Amino acid sequence: MALNARAIFALLLVVLSVAYFLEALTLPTPFQQGEPGPAFIPMLLAALLFVSAGVTVLGEMRTDAAATGERINLKTMTLVGLTIAFVGAFEFAGYVIATFAYTLAVAALFEAERGRSTRRIALVSLAVAGGVTLAGWLFFVRLFDLYLPEGILGP
Amino acid sequence: MLDGFAALLEPETLLYLVGGYLLGLIFGAIPGLTATLAIALLLPFTFAMELTNALVMVMAIFMAGIYAGSVTGIIVNIPGAPSGAITTIEGHVLMKRGEGAKALGLDAFASSVGGMIGALVLMFIAVPMSRLALQFQTPDKFSLVVLALVTVVAISSGSLAKATVSLTLGMMISTVGIDNMVAQARFAFDSAQLVEGVRLLPAVIGLFAVAELLVQAGSSRRAEEVASLRTRRRDFIPKFSEIWRIGPITYIKSAVIGVVIGMLPGGGAAMASFIAYAEAKRTSRTPEEYGNGSHEGLAAAESANNAMCGGAVVPLLTLGIPGDSVTAIIFGVLLIHGLVPGPQLLETNLDAIAPMFAALFVAASFVFVSVVLFGPYYIWLARMNRAVLYSFIAMVAMVGTYASTFSVFQMWVALAIGTFAAVMRVMGYSVIPMLMGIILGPYFEEYLRRTLITNEGSPLVFFTSPISLTLLILSVVFVYVLRGRAGAIRR
């Protein structure tokens, strides 16, 4: 029995179920007015998550964690950070600038894994970012007439 | 129904059919991308499309994506989608023997036959099924949702406890926002945006597109080196003797298995191909060939997973229950256009839905045509530059969420759900039950509470209504059969 990463994750879900239950307690009590009310299902769900996540904790502690082949590393976290920056800047910077910068960084992130020179990575990423930004604009704005923010490039 | 085929002759609709088919082929063939992801990415675009065009395109993506999942499996031993996993076992052996074109040809032929059988079943059974569905009362609908939720958990890979966790988290997400029966905000934390709740589109984009992007960033897999193969287009057309040796019974039986499993909530293409393959092996005169490049095994798996497409749509259209993630997204497409899937849909909107049936049939016929046309290029697709691919997905996922909701907040929701889903995948949880929880959670709650209110808090009606009782018994049987069968095959 060992507390591995998967067991800790399941344990966090147990904690989540308790927090969710405590928040559900702030809603009107079920069956007080003769009907289930808005807290009824959340309380059931909190109990279900508590039990199923609890069983999972025990299961993960008893067995060696088998790798799924999927993992989180610095590149994953970098991508999350880039996406946070993109969403944060999207309306202010506008679609063109924000998307170009975002896809440039994403392309560089994936292109770097091929072990090419910095100059080549930069050139490929610039081309990809330009192409993807243009494709998105053509699809969303020209083809489907959907609104995208113009940001600092707007009137 | 013939009007449905006639609608496909409209140039614009035909363009969407062909475009959707090609999109499905690309997404299905590229490892890491699936038909589900393609349809999830298409969802923002469907806002601005006519309903017929949107449904035709979605059906074409569905059929092509399920088929193409086996293409990279055969070529480089990496199935483009879970549905191609069984085909990979036999197909890649044939590829290594220098019979790649033959494997791709047999694969496409079986997919076409299975897909057409599935579409025909959909055309002729969906309407009678919808009339039967009209008999369903609220307690029966609740038990049906229970059946769907239970089956989703039962067919998920990994432990039951983990699948239950994933499902419950999805249902919890669905409780955020205004209560669906009384004016009470839940889990909104005084945020005006959270009061609106979590919309379906950011949830789907997050669960599939964002999570896939993050998981792919975590893997350092480079493009697989694929041996240069010189093939002619005629090499992709299987010989009549090869098809006859497999036997029409194998194609038909596997297609029927695929349709039936497709109709079960949570059945899915992978499960269909898994069971059809096991059944074909059980009755084969040459079981020793299985695992060593069996044409029969390859045909059984592919016939079943494409037949599943027709079966999967039946419960969605007739009962309003999405059986898997793709039909859950199709559910969203219908809702976006103001149509509520369920018993009344086919009675009142058959003219709008008929082109969808026809599209499934025609897309199935495209499968065989496409392997002859594009067979030599599939290898190139499997080697696409990841920088181009994932930059495009990142843009479409996030900008698509904004374009369809005009809300930066919904982009944050998609990112949050996607990040959480990626962590769950790494920790060995399937995210399919979570999606089902988000979709079916509100129905589960509404039907349960409405039944309890009208029966003065007594749950006995679930056991006294014949339909409800049957569905609850089926829920228990499905857990036993689906878990027991899968376990037996694994052993």
Side-chain angles (χ1 to χ4, degrees), chain A residues 96-148:
Chain A
V96 174
I97 291 175
T99 305
F100 183 82
Y102 177 54
T103 50
L104 178 74
V106 173
L109 203 64
F110 281 98
E111 190 63 14
E113 72 189 13
R114 304 178 77 184
R116 302 273 170 85
S117 68
T118 309
R119 185 166 173 270
R120 172 144 181 134
I121 291 169
L123 285 175
V124 170
S125 303
L126 279 169
V128 170
V132 169
T133 306
L134 178 65
W137 182 79
L138 289 173
F139 269 119
F140 289 108
V141 180
R142 301 300 298 171
L143 190 61
F144 292 116
D145 203 23
L146 295 167
Y147 168 78
L148 292 178

CSV table of all heavy atoms in Angstrom, one decimal, chain A residues 96-148:
chain,number,residue,atom,x,y,z
A,96,VAL,N,-6.4,38.9,-34.7
A,96,VAL,CA,-5.3,38.7,-35.5
A,96,VAL,C,-4.0,38.7,-34.7
A,96,VAL,O,-3.2,37.7,-34.8
A,96,VAL,CB,-5.2,39.9,-36.6
A,96,VAL,CG1,-3.9,39.8,-37.4
A,96,VAL,CG2,-6.4,39.8,-37.5
A,97,ILE,N,-3.8,39.7,-33.9
A,97,ILE,CA,-2.5,39.7,-33.1
A,97,ILE,C,-2.4,38.6,-32.1
A,97,ILE,O,-1.4,37.9,-32.0
A,97,ILE,CB,-2.4,41.1,-32.4
A,97,ILE,CG1,-2.2,42.2,-33.4
A,97,ILE,CG2,-1.2,41.1,-31.4
A,97,ILE,CD1,-2.2,43.6,-32.8
A,98,ALA,N,-3.5,38.4,-31.3
A,98,ALA,CA,-3.5,37.3,-30.3
A,98,ALA,C,-3.3,35.9,-30.9
A,98,ALA,O,-2.5,35.1,-30.4
A,98,ALA,CB,-4.8,37.4,-29.5
A,99,THR,N,-4.1,35.7,-32.0
A,99,THR,CA,-4.0,34.3,-32.6
A,99,THR,C,-2.6,34.1,-33.3
A,99,THR,O,-2.1,33.0,-33.2
A,99,THR,CB,-5.1,34.2,-33.6
A,99,THR,OG1,-6.4,34.4,-32.9
A,99,THR,CG2,-5.2,32.7,-34.2
A,100,PHE,N,-2.1,35.1,-33.9
A,100,PHE,CA,-0.8,35.0,-34.6
A,100,PHE,C,0.3,34.7,-33.5
A,100,PHE,O,1.0,33.7,-33.7
A,100,PHE,CB,-0.4,36.3,-35.3
A,100,PHE,CG,0.9,36.1,-36.1
A,100,PHE,CD1,0.9,35.5,-37.3
A,100,PHE,CD2,2.0,36.6,-35.6
A,100,PHE,CE1,2.1,35.4,-38.0
A,100,PHE,CE2,3.2,36.4,-36.2
A,100,PHE,CZ,3.3,35.8,-37.5
A,101,ALA,N,0.3,35.4,-32.4
A,101,ALA,CA,1.3,35.2,-31.4
A,101,ALA,C,1.1,33.8,-30.7
A,101,ALA,O,2.1,33.1,-30.5
A,101,ALA,CB,1.2,36.3,-30.3
A,102,TYR,N,-0.2,33.5,-30.5
A,102,TYR,CA,-0.5,32.2,-29.8
A,102,TYR,C,0.0,31.0,-30.7
A,102,TYR,O,0.7,30.1,-30.3
A,102,TYR,CB,-2.0,32.1,-29.5
A,102,TYR,CG,-2.5,30.8,-28.9
A,102,TYR,CD1,-1.9,30.3,-27.7
A,102,TYR,CD2,-3.5,30.1,-29.5
A,102,TYR,CE1,-2.4,29.1,-27.2
A,102,TYR,CE2,-4.0,29.0,-28.9
A,102,TYR,CZ,-3.4,28.5,-27.8
A,102,TYR,OH,-3.9,27.3,-27.2
A,103,THR,N,-0.5,31.0,-32.0
A,103,THR,CA,-0.1,29.9,-32.9
A,103,THR,C,1.4,29.8,-33.2
A,103,THR,O,1.9,28.8,-33.4
A,103,THR,CB,-1.0,29.9,-34.2
A,103,THR,OG1,-0.9,31.2,-34.7
A,103,THR,CG2,-2.4,29.6,-33.9
A,104,LEU,N,2.0,31.0,-33.2
A,104,LEU,CA,3.4,31.1,-33.4
A,104,LEU,C,4.1,30.3,-32.3
A,104,LEU,O,5.0,29.5,-32.5
A,104,LEU,CB,3.9,32.5,-33.4
A,104,LEU,CG,5.4,32.8,-33.6
A,104,LEU,CD1,5.8,32.5,-35.0
A,104,LEU,CD2,5.8,34.2,-33.2
A,105,ALA,N,3.7,30.6,-31.0
A,105,ALA,CA,4.3,29.9,-29.9
A,105,ALA,C,4.0,28.4,-29.9
A,105,ALA,O,4.8,27.6,-29.6
A,105,ALA,CB,3.8,30.6,-28.6
A,106,VAL,N,2.7,28.1,-30.2
A,106,VAL,CA,2.3,26.6,-30.2
A,106,VAL,C,3.1,25.9,-31.3
A,106,VAL,O,3.6,24.8,-31.0
A,106,VAL,CB,0.8,26.5,-30.4
A,106,VAL,CG1,0.4,25.0,-30.6
A,106,VAL,CG2,0.0,27.1,-29.2
A,107,ALA,N,3.2,26.5,-32.4
A,107,ALA,CA,3.9,25.8,-33.5
A,107,ALA,C,5.4,25.6,-33.1
A,107,ALA,O,6.0,24.6,-33.4
A,107,ALA,CB,3.8,26.7,-34.8
A,108,ALA,N,6.0,26.7,-32.5
A,108,ALA,CA,7.4,26.6,-32.1
A,108,ALA,C,7.6,25.5,-31.1
A,108,ALA,O,8.6,24.7,-31.1
A,108,ALA,CB,7.9,27.9,-31.5
A,109,LEU,N,6.6,25.3,-30.2
A,109,LEU,CA,6.7,24.3,-29.1
A,109,LEU,C,6.7,22.9,-29.7
A,109,LEU,O,7.5,22.1,-29.3
A,109,LEU,CB,5.4,24.5,-28.2
A,109,LEU,CG,5.4,23.9,-26.8
A,109,LEU,CD1,6.5,24.7,-26.0
A,109,LEU,CD2,4.1,24.1,-26.2
A,110,PHE,N,5.9,22.7,-30.7
A,110,PHE,CA,5.8,21.4,-31.4
A,110,PHE,C,7.0,21.2,-32.4
A,110,PHE,O,7.5,20.1,-32.5
A,110,PHE,CB,4.5,21.1,-32.1
A,110,PHE,CG,3.4,20.8,-31.1
A,110,PHE,CD1,2.5,21.7,-30.6
A,110,PHE,CD2,3.2,19.4,-30.7
A,110,PHE,CE1,1.5,21.3,-29.7
A,110,PHE,CE2,2.3,19.1,-29.8
A,110,PHE,CZ,1.4,20.0,-29.3
A,111,GLU,N,7.4,22.3,-33.0
A,111,GLU,CA,8.4,22.2,-34.0
A,111,GLU,C,9.8,21.9,-33.4
A,111,GLU,O,10.6,21.2,-33.9
A,111,GLU,CB,8.5,23.4,-34.9
A,111,GLU,CG,9.4,23.4,-36.1
A,111,GLU,CD,9.0,22.4,-37.2
A,111,GLU,OE1,7.8,21.9,-37.1
A,111,GLU,OE2,9.8,22.1,-38.0
A,112,ALA,N,9.9,22.4,-32.1
A,112,ALA,CA,11.2,22.2,-31.4
A,112,ALA,C,11.5,20.8,-31.1
A,112,ALA,O,12.7,20.4,-31.0
A,112,ALA,CB,11.2,23.0,-30.1
A,113,GLU,N,10.5,19.9,-31.0
A,113,GLU,CA,10.7,18.5,-30.7
A,113,GLU,C,11.4,17.8,-31.9
A,113,GLU,O,11.9,16.7,-31.7
A,113,GLU,CB,9.4,17.8,-30.4
A,113,GLU,CG,8.5,17.6,-31.5
A,113,GLU,CD,7.1,17.1,-31.1
A,113,GLU,OE1,6.7,17.2,-29.9
A,113,GLU,OE2,6.3,16.7,-32.0
A,114,ARG,N,11.5,18.4,-33.0
A,114,ARG,CA,12.1,17.7,-34.2
A,114,ARG,C,13.6,17.9,-34.2
A,114,ARG,O,14.3,17.4,-35.1
A,114,ARG,CB,11.5,18.2,-35.5
A,114,ARG,CG,10.0,18.0,-35.5
A,114,ARG,CD,9.4,18.6,-36.8
A,114,ARG,NE,9.6,17.6,-37.9
A,114,ARG,CZ,9.2,17.9,-39.1
A,114,ARG,NH1,8.6,19.1,-39.4
A,114,ARG,NH2,9.4,17.0,-40.1
A,115,GLY,N,14.1,18.8,-33.3
A,115,GLY,CA,15.6,18.9,-33.1
A,115,GLY,C,16.2,19.8,-34.3
A,115,GLY,O,17.4,19.6,-34.6
A,116,ARG,N,15.4,20.6,-34.9
A,116,ARG,CA,15.9,21.5,-36.0
A,116,ARG,C,16.6,22.7,-35.4
A,116,ARG,O,16.5,23.0,-34.2
A,116,ARG,CB,14.8,21.9,-36.9
A,116,ARG,CG,14.0,20.8,-37.5
A,116,ARG,CD,14.7,20.3,-38.8
A,116,ARG,NE,14.1,19.1,-39.3
A,116,ARG,CZ,13.1,19.0,-40.1
A,116,ARG,NH1,12.4,20.1,-40.4
A,116,ARG,NH2,12.7,17.8,-40.6
A,117,SER,N,17.3,23.5,-36.3
A,117,SER,CA,17.9,24.7,-35.8
A,117,SER,C,16.9,25.8,-35.4
A,117,SER,O,15.8,25.8,-35.9
A,117,SER,CB,18.8,25.3,-37.0
A,117,SER,OG,18.0,25.7,-38.0
A,118,THR,N,17.4,26.7,-34.6
A,118,THR,CA,16.5,27.8,-34.1
A,118,THR,C,15.9,28.6,-35.3
A,118,THR,O,14.7,29.0,-35.3
A,118,THR,CB,17.2,28.7,-33.1
A,118,THR,OG1,17.9,27.9,-32.2
A,118,THR,CG2,16.3,29.7,-32.5
A,119,ARG,N,16.7,28.9,-36.3
A,119,ARG,CA,16.3,29.6,-37.4
A,119,ARG,C,15.2,28.9,-38.2
A,119,ARG,O,14.2,29.5,-38.5
A,119,ARG,CB,17.5,29.9,-38.3
A,119,ARG,CG,17.2,30.8,-39.5
A,119,ARG,CD,18.5,31.3,-40.2
A,119,ARG,NE,18.2,32.0,-41.4
A,119,ARG,CZ,18.1,31.5,-42.6
A,119,ARG,NH1,18.2,30.2,-42.7
A,119,ARG,NH2,17.8,32.2,-43.6
A,120,ARG,N,15.4,27.6,-38.3
A,120,ARG,CA,14.4,26.8,-39.1
A,120,ARG,C,13.1,26.8,-38.3
A,120,ARG,O,12.0,26.9,-38.8
A,120,ARG,CB,14.9,25.4,-39.3
A,120,ARG,CG,13.8,24.5,-39.9
A,120,ARG,CD,14.3,23.6,-40.9
A,120,ARG,NE,13.2,22.8,-41.4
A,120,ARG,CZ,12.9,22.5,-42.6
A,120,ARG,NH1,13.7,23.0,-43.5
A,120,ARG,NH2,11.9,21.8,-42.9
A,121,ILE,N,13.2,26.6,-36.9
A,121,ILE,CA,12.0,26.5,-36.1
A,121,ILE,C,11.2,27.9,-36.2
A,121,ILE,O,10.0,27.9,-36.4
A,121,ILE,CB,12.4,26.3,-34.6
A,121,ILE,CG1,12.9,24.8,-34.5
A,121,ILE,CG2,11.2,26.5,-33.7
A,121,ILE,CD1,13.5,24.6,-33.1
A,122,ALA,N,12.0,29.0,-36.2
A,122,ALA,CA,11.4,30.3,-36.3
A,122,ALA,C,10.7,30.5,-37.6
A,122,ALA,O,9.5,31.0,-37.7
A,122,ALA,CB,12.4,31.4,-36.1
A,123,LEU,N,11.3,30.1,-38.7
A,123,LEU,CA,10.7,30.2,-40.0
A,123,LEU,C,9.5,29.4,-40.2
A,123,LEU,O,8.4,29.9,-40.7
A,123,LEU,CB,11.8,29.9,-41.1
A,123,LEU,CG,12.9,30.9,-41.4
A,123,LEU,CD1,13.9,30.3,-42.3
A,123,LEU,CD2,12.3,32.2,-41.9
A,124,VAL,N,9.5,28.1,-39.8
A,124,VAL,CA,8.4,27.2,-39.9
A,124,VAL,C,7.2,27.8,-39.1
A,124,VAL,O,6.1,27.8,-39.5
A,124,VAL,CB,8.8,25.8,-39.5
A,124,VAL,CG1,7.5,24.9,-39.4
A,124,VAL,CG2,9.7,25.2,-40.5
A,125,SER,N,7.6,28.2,-37.8
A,125,SER,CA,6.5,28.7,-36.9
A,125,SER,C,5.8,29.9,-37.4
A,125,SER,O,4.6,30.1,-37.3
A,125,SER,CB,7.1,28.9,-35.5
A,125,SER,OG,7.7,27.8,-35.0
A,126,LEU,N,6.6,30.8,-38.0
A,126,LEU,CA,6.1,32.1,-38.6
A,126,LEU,C,5.1,31.7,-39.7
A,126,LEU,O,4.0,32.3,-39.8
A,126,LEU,CB,7.2,33.0,-39.1
A,126,LEU,CG,7.9,33.8,-38.1
A,126,LEU,CD1,9.1,34.5,-38.7
A,126,LEU,CD2,6.9,34.9,-37.6
A,127,ALA,N,5.5,30.8,-40.6
A,127,ALA,CA,4.7,30.4,-41.7
A,127,ALA,C,3.4,29.7,-41.2
A,127,ALA,O,2.3,30.0,-41.7
A,127,ALA,CB,5.5,29.4,-42.6
A,128,VAL,N,3.5,28.8,-40.2
A,128,VAL,CA,2.4,28.1,-39.7
A,128,VAL,C,1.4,29.1,-39.0
A,128,VAL,O,0.2,29.1,-39.3
A,128,VAL,CB,2.8,27.1,-38.6
A,128,VAL,CG1,1.6,26.5,-37.9
A,128,VAL,CG2,3.5,25.9,-39.3
A,129,ALA,N,2.0,30.1,-38.2
A,129,ALA,CA,1.1,31.0,-37.5
A,129,ALA,C,0.4,31.9,-38.5
A,129,ALA,O,-0.8,32.2,-38.4
A,129,ALA,CB,2.0,31.9,-36.6
A,130,GLY,N,1.1,32.4,-39.6
A,130,GLY,CA,0.4,33.2,-40.6
A,130,GLY,C,-0.7,32.4,-41.3
A,130,GLY,O,-1.8,32.9,-41.5
A,131,GLY,N,-0.4,31.2,-41.7
A,131,GLY,CA,-1.4,30.3,-42.4
A,131,GLY,C,-2.6,30.0,-41.5
A,131,GLY,O,-3.7,30.1,-42.0
A,132,VAL,N,-2.3,29.7,-40.3
A,132,VAL,CA,-3.5,29.3,-39.4
A,132,VAL,C,-4.3,30.5,-39.0
A,132,VAL,O,-5.6,30.4,-39.1
A,132,VAL,CB,-2.9,28.6,-38.1
A,132,VAL,CG1,-4.0,28.4,-37.0
A,132,VAL,CG2,-2.3,27.2,-38.4
A,133,THR,N,-3.7,31.6,-38.8
A,133,THR,CA,-4.4,32.9,-38.5
A,133,THR,C,-5.3,33.3,-39.7
A,133,THR,O,-6.5,33.6,-39.5
A,133,THR,CB,-3.5,34.0,-38.1
A,133,THR,OG1,-2.6,33.6,-37.0
A,133,THR,CG2,-4.2,35.2,-37.6
A,134,LEU,N,-4.7,33.2,-40.9
A,134,LEU,CA,-5.5,33.5,-42.1
A,134,LEU,C,-6.6,32.5,-42.3
A,134,LEU,O,-7.8,32.9,-42.6
A,134,LEU,CB,-4.5,33.5,-43.3
A,134,LEU,CG,-5.2,33.8,-44.6
A,134,LEU,CD1,-5.7,35.2,-44.7
A,134,LEU,CD2,-4.2,33.6,-45.8
A,135,ALA,N,-6.3,31.2,-42.1
A,135,ALA,CA,-7.4,30.2,-42.3
A,135,ALA,C,-8.5,30.4,-41.3
A,135,ALA,O,-9.7,30.4,-41.7
A,135,ALA,CB,-6.8,28.8,-42.1
A,136,GLY,N,-8.2,30.8,-40.0
A,136,GLY,CA,-9.3,31.0,-39.0
A,136,GLY,C,-10.1,32.2,-39.4
A,136,GLY,O,-11.3,32.2,-39.3
A,137,TRP,N,-9.4,33.3,-39.9
A,137,TRP,CA,-10.2,34.5,-40.3
A,137,TRP,C,-11.1,34.2,-41.5
A,137,TRP,O,-12.3,34.6,-41.5
A,137,TRP,CB,-9.2,35.6,-40.6
A,137,TRP,CG,-9.8,36.9,-41.0
A,137,TRP,CD1,-10.4,37.8,-40.2
A,137,TRP,CD2,-10.1,37.4,-42.3
A,137,TRP,NE1,-10.9,38.9,-40.9
A,137,TRP,CE2,-10.7,38.6,-42.2
A,137,TRP,CE3,-9.7,36.9,-43.6
A,137,TRP,CZ2,-11.1,39.4,-43.3
A,137,TRP,CZ3,-10.1,37.7,-44.7
A,137,TRP,CH2,-10.8,38.9,-44.6
A,138,LEU,N,-10.6,33.4,-42.4
A,138,LEU,CA,-11.4,33.1,-43.6
A,138,LEU,C,-12.6,32.2,-43.2
A,138,LEU,O,-13.7,32.5,-43.6
A,138,LEU,CB,-10.6,32.3,-44.6
A,138,LEU,CG,-9.5,33.1,-45.4
A,138,LEU,CD1,-8.6,32.2,-46.3
A,138,LEU,CD2,-10.2,34.2,-46.3
A,139,PHE,N,-12.4,31.2,-42.3
A,139,PHE,CA,-13.4,30.3,-41.9
A,139,PHE,C,-14.5,31.1,-41.1
A,139,PHE,O,-15.7,31.1,-41.4
A,139,PHE,CB,-12.9,29.2,-41.0
A,139,PHE,CG,-12.5,28.0,-41.7
A,139,PHE,CD1,-11.2,27.5,-41.7
A,139,PHE,CD2,-13.4,27.3,-42.4
A,139,PHE,CE1,-10.8,26.4,-42.4
A,139,PHE,CE2,-13.1,26.1,-43.1
A,139,PHE,CZ,-11.7,25.7,-43.1
A,140,PHE,N,-14.1,31.8,-40.0
A,140,PHE,CA,-15.0,32.3,-39.1
A,140,PHE,C,-15.6,33.6,-39.6
A,140,PHE,O,-16.8,33.8,-39.5
A,140,PHE,CB,-14.3,32.6,-37.7
A,140,PHE,CG,-14.0,31.4,-36.9
A,140,PHE,CD1,-12.7,31.0,-36.8
A,140,PHE,CD2,-15.0,30.7,-36.3
A,140,PHE,CE1,-12.4,29.8,-36.1
A,140,PHE,CE2,-14.7,29.5,-35.6
A,140,PHE,CZ,-13.4,29.1,-35.5
A,141,VAL,N,-14.8,34.5,-40.1
A,141,VAL,CA,-15.3,35.9,-40.5
A,141,VAL,C,-15.8,35.9,-41.9
A,141,VAL,O,-17.0,36.3,-42.1
A,141,VAL,CB,-14.2,36.9,-40.3
A,141,VAL,CG1,-14.7,38.3,-40.7
A,141,VAL,CG2,-13.7,36.9,-38.9
A,142,ARG,N,-15.1,35.4,-42.9
A,142,ARG,CA,-15.5,35.5,-44.3
A,142,ARG,C,-16.5,34.4,-44.6
A,142,ARG,O,-17.5,34.7,-45.3
A,142,ARG,CB,-14.3,35.4,-45.2
A,142,ARG,CG,-13.2,36.4,-45.0
A,142,ARG,CD,-13.7,37.8,-45.2
A,142,ARG,NE,-14.1,38.1,-46.6
A,142,ARG,CZ,-14.8,39.2,-47.0
A,142,ARG,NH1,-15.0,40.1,-46.1
A,142,ARG,NH2,-15.1,39.3,-48.2
A,143,LEU,N,-16.3,33.2,-44.2
A,143,LEU,CA,-17.2,32.1,-44.7
A,143,LEU,C,-18.5,32.1,-43.8
A,143,LEU,O,-19.6,32.0,-44.3
A,143,LEU,CB,-16.4,30.8,-44.6
A,143,LEU,CG,-17.1,29.5,-45.2
A,143,LEU,CD1,-17.4,29.8,-46.7
A,143,LEU,CD2,-16.3,28.3,-45.0
A,144,PHE,N,-18.3,32.2,-42.5
A,144,PHE,CA,-19.5,32.0,-41.6
A,144,PHE,C,-20.0,33.4,-41.0
A,144,PHE,O,-20.9,33.4,-40.2
A,144,PHE,CB,-19.2,31.0,-40.6
A,144,PHE,CG,-19.1,29.6,-41.1
A,144,PHE,CD1,-17.9,28.9,-41.1
A,144,PHE,CD2,-20.2,29.0,-41.8
A,144,PHE,CE1,-17.8,27.6,-41.6
A,144,PHE,CE2,-20.1,27.8,-42.3
A,144,PHE,CZ,-18.9,27.1,-42.3
A,145,ASP,N,-19.3,34.5,-41.3
A,145,ASP,CA,-19.8,35.8,-40.9
A,145,ASP,C,-19.9,35.9,-39.4
A,145,ASP,O,-20.9,36.5,-38.9
A,145,ASP,CB,-21.1,36.1,-41.6
A,145,ASP,CG,-21.3,37.6,-41.7
A,145,ASP,OD1,-20.3,38.4,-41.6
A,145,ASP,OD2,-22.5,38.0,-41.8
A,146,LEU,N,-19.0,35.3,-38.6
A,146,LEU,CA,-19.1,35.4,-37.2
A,146,LEU,C,-18.2,36.5,-36.7
A,146,LEU,O,-17.2,36.9,-37.3
A,146,LEU,CB,-18.6,34.0,-36.5
A,146,LEU,CG,-19.6,32.9,-36.8
A,146,LEU,CD1,-18.9,31.5,-36.4
A,146,LEU,CD2,-20.9,33.0,-36.1
A,147,TYR,N,-18.5,37.1,-35.5
A,147,TYR,CA,-17.8,38.2,-35.0
A,147,TYR,C,-16.5,37.7,-34.3
A,147,TYR,O,-16.6,36.8,-33.4
A,147,TYR,CB,-18.7,39.0,-34.1
A,147,TYR,CG,-17.9,40.0,-33.3
A,147,TYR,CD1,-17.5,41.2,-33.8
A,147,TYR,CD2,-17.5,39.8,-31.9
A,147,TYR,CE1,-16.8,42.2,-33.1
A,147,TYR,CE2,-16.8,40.7,-31.2
A,147,TYR,CZ,-16.4,41.9,-31.8
A,147,TYR,OH,-15.7,42.8,-31.1
A,148,LEU,N,-15.4,38.4,-34.6
A,148,LEU,CA,-14.2,38.2,-33.8
A,148,LEU,C,-13.7,39.6,-33.4
A,148,LEU,O,-13.7,40.5,-34.2
A,148,LEU,CB,-13.2,37.4,-34.6
A,148,LEU,CG,-13.5,35.9,-34.9
A,148,LEU,CD1,-12.4,35.3,-35.8
A,148,LEU,CD2,-13.7,35.1,-33.6
